[in-house]
């Protein structure tokens, strides 16, 4: 359900074709709400049918492309959503479920898994940091296009809230790296004291 709000948020910045949406999504709002192209395109069609998006055909060479823009109803839906209280989701992350029962895993496999988390979240953290920096210096193309359509007095808040979201995600990624490293140390200690070994 949040995917439609992610798409509305993105398109409030600038109307886009389906192709442009796919590209811009991944480098911007996709960092805070991941979705695959295969989910995005059918959702755009549903949003159009629900009156949240206005579509116009734009001629390009011998073909036409559909340009999606947020309708008045779409803007209202986004405002209503952001003004309504959000109920925090309860944890369903398989990482913690798996971590809680690692005594069932082969130590080598457990170690490899934790090393993979370290690698993944380090990469994620660095990508998020780079993206946040490109928001703060306003060089991110999706943000720059949004700002170009807004009066200057709104720019600070638009940038600050996006940087705020990234700050939270960066901290989470840092925390995941630290946590996975703690797990590696734990496995070392348990193995050294002979209480964790390959079954059979
Ligand atoms: C926008 C641009 C959003 C860059 C972003 O992440 C971003 C935007 C939420 O203007 O919608 O990284």
């Amino acid at each position: 359900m949040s995917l439609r709000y992610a798409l509305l948020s993105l398109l409030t910045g600038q109307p886009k074709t389906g192709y442009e949406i796919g590209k811009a999504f991944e480098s911007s709002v996709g960092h805070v709400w991941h979705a695959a192209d295969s989910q995005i395109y059918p959702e755009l069609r549903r949003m159009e049918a629900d009156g949240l998006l206005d579509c116009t055909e734009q001629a390009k060479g011998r073909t036409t492309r559909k340009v999606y823009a947020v309708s008045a109803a779409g803007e209202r839906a986004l405002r209503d959503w952001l003004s309504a209280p959000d109920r925090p989701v309860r944890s369903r992350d398989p990482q913690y479920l798996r971590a809680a029962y690692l005594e069932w895993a082969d130590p080598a496999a457990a170690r490899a898994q934790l090393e993979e988390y370290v690698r993944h979240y380090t990469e994620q953290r660095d990508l998020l940091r780079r993206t946040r920096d490109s928001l703060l210096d306003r060089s991110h193309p999706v943000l720059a296009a949004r700002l170009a359509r807004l009066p200057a007095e709104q720019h600070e808040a638009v940038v600050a809230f996006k940087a705020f979201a990234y700050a939270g995600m960066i901290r989470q990624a840092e925390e995941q790296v630290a946590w996975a490293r703690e797990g590696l140390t734990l496995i070392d200690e348990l193995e050294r004291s002979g209480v964790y070994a390959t079954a059979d």
Side-chain angles (χ1 to χ4, degrees):
M1 198 54 190
S2 295
L3 176 57
R4 59 175 47 199
Y5 297 107
L7 289 165
L8 284 173
S9 303
L10 177 67
L11 289 168
T12 54
Q14 188 185 37
K16 290 183 187 339
T17 64
Y19 171 72
E20 289 167 345
I21 291 170
K23 249 185 359 174
F25 193 94
E26 193 179 335
S27 72
S28 63
V29 70
H31 289 132
V32 294
W33 191 265
H34 175 74
D37 283 353
S38 60
Q39 296 171 287
I40 291 175
Y41 297 118
E43 185 62 21
L44 288 171
R45 282 193 288 278
R46 279 192 292 270
M47 291 166 71
E48 183 186 0
D50 292 345
L52 301 174
L53 300 177
D54 288 331
C55 289
T56 48
E57 299 278 340
Q58 194 183 70
K60 192 188 180 229
R62 268 185 285 146
T63 58
T64 58
R65 314 176 303 169
K66 244 180 168 181
V67 179
Y68 294 91
V70 178
S71 67
E75 275 201 29
R76 215 171 319 116
L78 180 61
R79 277 185 206 285
D80 287 351
W81 181 66
L82 281 166
S83 301
D86 178 29
R87 198 180 332 172
V89 286
R90 303 200 41 191
S91 171
R92 271 190 88 149
D93 191 330
Q95 269 177 58
Y96 300 117
L97 175 60
R98 293 169 66 111
Y101 298 97
L102 274 182
E103 72 271 21
W104 289 84
D106 181 74
R111 192 176 273 116
Q113 180 64 71
L114 290 166
E115 280 163 356
E116 173 55 19
Y117 289 151
V118 171
R119 192 203 59 73
H120 172 82
Y121 287 108
T122 300
E123 192 181 294
Q124 195 60 23
R125 177 201 66 194
D126 293 344
L127 173 64
L128 292 168
R129 283 182 184 162
R130 283 197 302 277
T131 309
R132 181 195 47 190
D133 290 347
S134 74
L135 291 169
L136 291 173
D137 69 17
R138 305 182 183 194
S139 63
H140 193 297
V142 175
L143 177 73
R146 177 187 297 281
L147 294 180
R149 296 160 59 96
L150 289 174
E153 66 268 21
Q154 290 182 22
H155 291 191
E156 186 184 343
V158 167
V159 174
F161 282 127
K162 280 158 202 61
F164 170 62
Y166 278 84
M169 290 190 303
I170 290 164
R171 248 184 259 162
Q172 256 184 29
E174 287 167 349
E175 190 47 50
Q176 296 281 341
V177 172
W179 173 77
R181 289 209 171 109
E182 264 172 50
L184 288 166
T185 307
L186 175 64
I187 291 174
D188 288 346
E189 285 167 4
L190 293 175
E191 278 198 311
R192 215 174 304 124
S193 48
V195 295
Y196 185 37
T198 309
D200 64 62

